[in-house]
Amino acid sequence: MSTLPGRTGTRSTRRPGGRRVQPAPGPARRARERAARSRAAGGRPTRLWAALRGRSVARQVFVLQVVVVLLLVVAAVVALVLQVRRDSTGEARSRSLAVAEAFANAPGTAAALAAPDPTAVLQPRAEATRKAAHVDFVVVTDAAGIRYTHPEPNRIGKKFVGTIEPALHGRTVVEEINGTIGRLVQAVVPLRAPDGRVVGVVASGITTRNAGGLADRQLPVVLGAAAAALALATAGTALVSRRLLRQTHGLGPGEMTRMYDHHDAVLHAVREGVIIVGDDGELLLANDEAHRLLDLPADAEGRRVLDLGLDPETAALLASGRIATDEVRLVGDRLLAVNQRPTDLDGGPSGSVATLRDSTELRALSGRAEEARERLSLLYDAGLGVGTTLDVTRTAEELVRVAVPRFADFVTVDLYDAVLRGEEPDPGAGLRRAAAGGIRAQTPLYPVGTQIRFVASSPQADSLRTRRPVLEPRLEAAPGWLAQDEERAARVMRYGIHSLITVPVRAGAVVLGLVDFWRSEKEEPFDAEELALAEELVARAAVSIDNARRYTREHGMAVTLQRSLLPRSLPEQGALDVAYRYLPAQAGVGGDWFDVLPLSGARVALVVGDVVGHGLHAAATMGRLRTAVHNFSALDLPPDELLGLLDEMVDRIDQDEAADGTGAPVIGATCLYAIYDPVSRRCVVARAGHPPPAVIAPDGEVVFAEVPAGPPLGLGGLPFETAELELAEGSRLVLYTDGLVEDRERDIDACLEELRAALASAGGSPEETCRAVLDSRLPFRPGDDIALLVARTRALDADRVAEWEVPADPAAVADVRAAVSRRLARWGLDEAAFTTELILSELVTNAIRYGSAPIRVRVLRDTALICEVFDSSNTSPHLRYAASTDEGGRGLFLVAQVADRWGTRYTSTGKVIWAEQSLL
């Protein structure tokens, strides 16, 4: 039997027979009956009147609160009046002193005293200052105290009322006096001449009546607010009293005691522990069940919870007072579910109440539920952590990271070599260890990369054959596993590994490999439930491994296609030293390409393009565009015209794909086309939605060329513009795709500046430039593929170029042949003289006969001997076969026979017919 704090006597117990306690007759019952009658009659004023009349706690509380409110209101009014009077006097003193000093120090005040009529000068100023400063007067007197100013003119010239002697000695006086206009506060300050003498005084004052006006104005407001507060307090007190009356039902002390005894009996009769703890950690109440469950001492009430000898976690929980819901605590051999709530949520006393329920029988079930939760958590984490990439090896490594150490101490993943290459597995082939990991780095297991063939008796071979997981609880008792490698098996067991689960990696009907789970730390071997968990874990990972395998196959096909479409080697030409790089994207192959195309006249075209997207479609579209650029460049078109034709072609592709309904349109493609002439050292560039090229001068300065930005290919409607760059010999022209300078996490300007810095620090050769650029991009692993083309310019020396102006006269052909023969002799090409004379003779003759002046001949010595004939006609010659009876028509046929290549290109002033002869 325990007692309640603050109460004598023992706890009441349940009555024999278990009969329900009936309310005893008395005041409490009569009060309840009165309250019921009042509620039935709907008389709320009746209940309030009962609260006011009855000898209850409610009435006493009501009277006490009303008295307290009245006292507070009276005290507030008195304090306000005293404070306002004090503040008013202080304000009057400050204001009168400030006005007097300001007027005394104002310019012209002292000088006005020396005027013939000081009053005429000072009276208007004093009145204006008085009205502006809201004081009752501003008075100026001479040293004898005779007034020169006053609010009432009839008092000017009379003696000043107040103390002026201190002011005549240079001191300031603030005093309260009874003046001619009533009780007032005035300040008297000296009025000094420029030489410092006191020639008079200035007094400013305000009556206490005016200064105290604030109190007169505020006091009604305060009294009204006090009355409203009193009314509200009275209403609130009445409501509280009515609530208290309703809560106690008008019960007196005796009835309340009997009711408390009943509640106490119920509290100690329930089969659930109840503990009430104060906010200071002191145990206020513990029922019988709480004493039994916690094994509390008999004098536990009144002591601190932390001093009762409970286990630390349970004691800390009960003393903390925090909210707890079904927290399970092990107390001795009992498993208790603790619920705890604070007692002051609804305005109750501070502290907390806790209930204790014996749930020992749920302990075993809770343990199994925790194991199930951990397994579900492992499977959930495997779903999130395995298969984040489409790489077979990395997927296997992710499976190892998820399983170690939560499920096994060591995990190994063995896959067929064909799976690692993205192909269908060969069941008869060996396995290769793709991933391994464990709680320790060095293990006697086969290392990663080892080719493994399991013997027929091993559990791994059994698992591959039956496509079912195999459990070996004790490795020392598994002869099949020992037969695989007896020496290694002995080292494994000495290492501490004693149990194994091997699970096949199945994707449908295909087995991709094996996953082995090894245990060493726990003494218990793997069991059947863990075998099922391992099978589920590998089944989830198998889907990701198979997806990665399929992606590897598709990726390999796309890479093969793209590699076949990209140039395998660059053509020979003498205008540029070229180096290039292609870096695939992390997500797979894309549609970036580049090309170096030799043109007539020793010129070279540089092309860089980009098709938006990745995969086979992007690579196939890139191949189509690259082929189109090859064909269009054979026409020797300017860059802007070539891009215009390419734009039309992309538009036709989109229309065909849309009409067919089975293909995908070209959702975006960009291209940059540049032609470099080594004779003039000029480069003509046009771009369609592509990043501008960078130019590295011979001195290392890097600039991005200002090339007009045309729309991407396929949009149509807008023409393309060209820019002409003059490049010094040894300059490097850098063409690239947007994958080099675009990054989702960084600004394009920052990437361009990084590219500029990499180019500025690169070596002088194109190879060194490519290496420096890709090294600077290496840490960022691009999400888009990158094509980079660096070309260092060469110039064709003047002594390797010969030009002649040709009159439009057939007789001039002989002179041209002679001049060319002399130049070839100087170049040491006498053996080519006959063929060259024949070519030029036919080309010049055609220009004279069918073209128009001016006509010009140019011979270039480069990797080939190039003959060019310029004229201003746009008519293109064509090759034809002359009949046996024709006298002419065989000139171009002869040229085509003796020259390696020939053709026509158009210029802004006409056309050029050219022919090349190899010098190799």
Side-chain angles (χ1 to χ4, degrees), residues 74-88:
V74 171
V77 171
V78 172
L80 177 63
V81 171
L82 296 177
Q83 181 66 28
V84 168
R85 287 183 178 180
R86 180 177 175 275
D87 292 345
S88 299

Side-chain angles (χ1 to χ4, degrees), residues 275 283 286-300 303 307-311 314 331-334 336 356:
I275 286 181
L283 180 62
N287 67 350
D288 292 345
E289 184 68 7
H291 275 265
R292 184 183 70 84
L293 294 177
L294 297 179
D295 195 17
L296 296 176
D299 59 346
R303 296 171 56 184
D307 301 333
L308 297 178
L310 302 175
D311 68 280
T314 304
V331 179
D333 57 349
R334 297 186 181 94
L336 303 182
L356 312 172

Side-chain angles (χ1 to χ4, degrees), residues 532-556:
L533 176 60
E535 186 177 11
E536 178 67 21
L537 184 62
V538 174
R540 298 194 178 198
V543 176
S544 299
I545 292 176
D546 189 51
N547 289 339
R549 178 188 66 85
R550 294 173 183 272
Y551 172 79
T552 301
R553 181 184 60 191
E554 298 295 332
H555 178 72

Side-chain angles (χ1 to χ4, degrees), residues 638-640 673-677 682-686 722-725:
D640 54 340
Y673 190 82
I675 298 177
Y676 173 69
D677 187 352
R682 294 185 179 275
C683 182
V684 182
V685 187
T722 61
E724 188 173 289
L725 311 175

